[in-house]
Amino acid sequence: MQTRGFRRMMSRIELLSIVAFGLASGLGGQIAIGQSPDPELVDLIQAHNRERAARALPPLAFNAKLEEAARVQARDMAEHVKLSHEGSDGSTPSQRIERQGYHFLRVGENVAEGPKTVEEVMRIWMNSPHHRENILGDFTEIGAAVATSKDGNPYWCVDFGTPLPVLDPDRASAELVRALNLERAKHSLPAFVVDARLEAAARRHARSMAAQGAFRQKDDDGLGPLERVEKEGYRFERLGVAVASGQPSPQEVVTTWLKDPSNREDLLGPSREVGVGYAATEKGIPFWCAIFGQPAR
């Protein structure tokens, strides 16, 4: 996880820069911007999207879970008359967002104290490099809130997010095979052929890891993926297995495996057959498994 330090501005604004994660899960429901109950918040979101449109960036979709996380912090700051990304309960922005059931690839937060209008807070944020980085950042969804303290001081909070994609297991497995074969083609190697026994073992192991939310050497029956392949009657000269967790796309899985010497050897080695499995935890954290085989002659 990467974070950038907080900055105290003369205008009493702070931001949490992008918090990027290799895992996560579950897609928060999208709601049309027009369904936000507060017209001022609609204006604020639209102001963000105007800034993005001016730079040919896609608009941010309103998300009710992000809005609720932003509302929690805005009210907390107003109640305690304190500008901060840390909640009075010690929570971080990512923790507050997760509490709303939003599971993500990355999140970010901008907060401000004092500006009276959308135009004023946007002008201040856009003139601050790190706030601007969030507004124009690699996010797809947004939620916003403003709360007023007893002395009439507004506290603004905007939460940005990119949710983990929800993948169909069959399609994800097929796409990973394609990604593996594209990489082999770059090295003039023959494409992998999918073997049903390898695939069944890989899928079972991926589901086992996802069920526990952790890498496992053996499944619930006490068998590792290679032991299960043997039990299924697959006769081989060579077997290899690679696992990954947190990568949201097949291409990112391949990139990760290529960086590991043993996985790279399996991916670009003499094995001719493959089986791939994908599964996700209840929170949407992806787990991947590939079994590479060279059948016995």
Side-chain angles (χ1 to χ4, degrees):
M1 180 172 66
Q2 297 176 344
T3 60
R4 188 173 290 124
F6 299 160
R7 293 173 176 244
R8 179 76 61 173
M9 311 301 290
M10 291 297 291
S11 54
R12 291 278 297 159
I13 309 170
E14 289 185 86
L15 115 138
L16 177 73
S17 61
I18 297 171
V19 182
F21 291 80
L23 50 88
S25 61
L27 188 59
Q30 291 187 3
I31 301 175
I33 289 176
Q35 290 179 275
S36 178
D38 189 332
E40 186 173 33
L41 299 182
V42 173
D43 291 343
L44 181 58
I45 294 171
Q46 290 176 341
H48 279 73
N49 284 335
R50 284 194 295 272
E51 295 291 351
R52 292 174 66 87
R55 294 154 183 84
L57 296 171
L60 300 170
F62 171 81
N63 184 281
K65 294 177 180 179
L66 291 176
E67 181 183 65
E68 184 58 29
R71 183 180 294 112
V72 167
Q73 185 60 8
R75 289 175 175 173
D76 193 52
M77 292 188 294
E79 180 181 351
H80 293 87
V81 194
K82 180 181 179 182
L83 181 70
S84 178
H85 292 286
E86 182 179 351
S88 59
D89 61 354
S91 63
T92 65
S94 59
Q95 288 171 334
R96 291 189 294 273
I97 289 170
E98 285 182 324
R99 287 173 184 172
Q100 301 305 322
Y102 187 91
H103 308 298
F104 50 84
L105 287 172
R106 61 188 66 86
V107 292
E109 181 174 271
N110 284 356
V111 298
E113 172 195 8
K116 304 297 184 183
T117 65
V118 168
E119 291 75 14
E120 184 181 358
V121 73
M122 287 299 297
R123 182 175 63 253
I124 294 171
W125 278 341
M126 287 301 292
N127 286 331
S128 169
H130 297 304
H131 295 81
R132 178 188 175 100
E133 181 180 348
N134 269 353
I135 294 169
L136 304 179
D138 185 19
F139 299 111
T140 60
E141 298 180 332
I142 187 173
V146 60
T148 304
S149 64
K150 290 182 179 179
D151 61 4
N153 209 24
Y155 286 83
W156 303 77
C157 182
V158 174
D159 283 333
F160 306 87
T162 299
L164 273 169
V166 177
L167 304 179
D168 173 78
D170 291 341
R171 181 175 297 179
S173 296
E175 289 179 354
L176 181 51
V177 173
R178 283 194 289 272
L180 291 168
N181 283 335
L182 284 173
E183 191 62 37
R184 286 178 67 83
K186 293 177 185 178
H187 296 81
S188 300
L189 296 170
F192 285 126
V193 175
V194 175
D195 179 88
R197 292 162 296 181
L198 298 181
E199 182 178 63
R203 290 190 174 196
R204 185 183 182 94
H205 197 68
R207 289 194 298 267
S208 177
M209 291 190 294
Q212 297 296 321
F215 288 124
R216 304 183 70 188
Q217 293 186 345
K218 298 182 182 295
D219 61 24
D220 293 336
D221 293 334
L223 296 177
L226 303 186
E227 293 171 312
R228 183 161 296 281
V229 166
E230 290 186 86
K231 185 176 181 179
E232 293 297 325
Y234 186 84
R235 301 292 175 254
F236 58 89
E237 292 183 1
R238 175 189 176 94
L239 273 180
V241 61
V243 295
S245 174
Q247 293 79 2
S249 71
Q251 185 53 58
E252 290 177 84
V253 175
V254 173
T255 299
T256 298
W257 284 343
L258 287 171
K259 293 177 181 178
D260 180 86
S262 61
N263 289 337
R264 182 183 179 89
E265 182 179 354
D266 283 327
L267 198 161
L268 301 178
S271 295
R272 296 295 184 89
E273 297 181 341
V274 72
V276 169
Y278 162 88
T281 68
E282 291 183 357
K283 291 186 175 182
I285 300 171
F287 281 84
W288 306 82
C289 178
I291 302 175
F292 308 93
Q294 178 67 25
R297 298 176 183 177

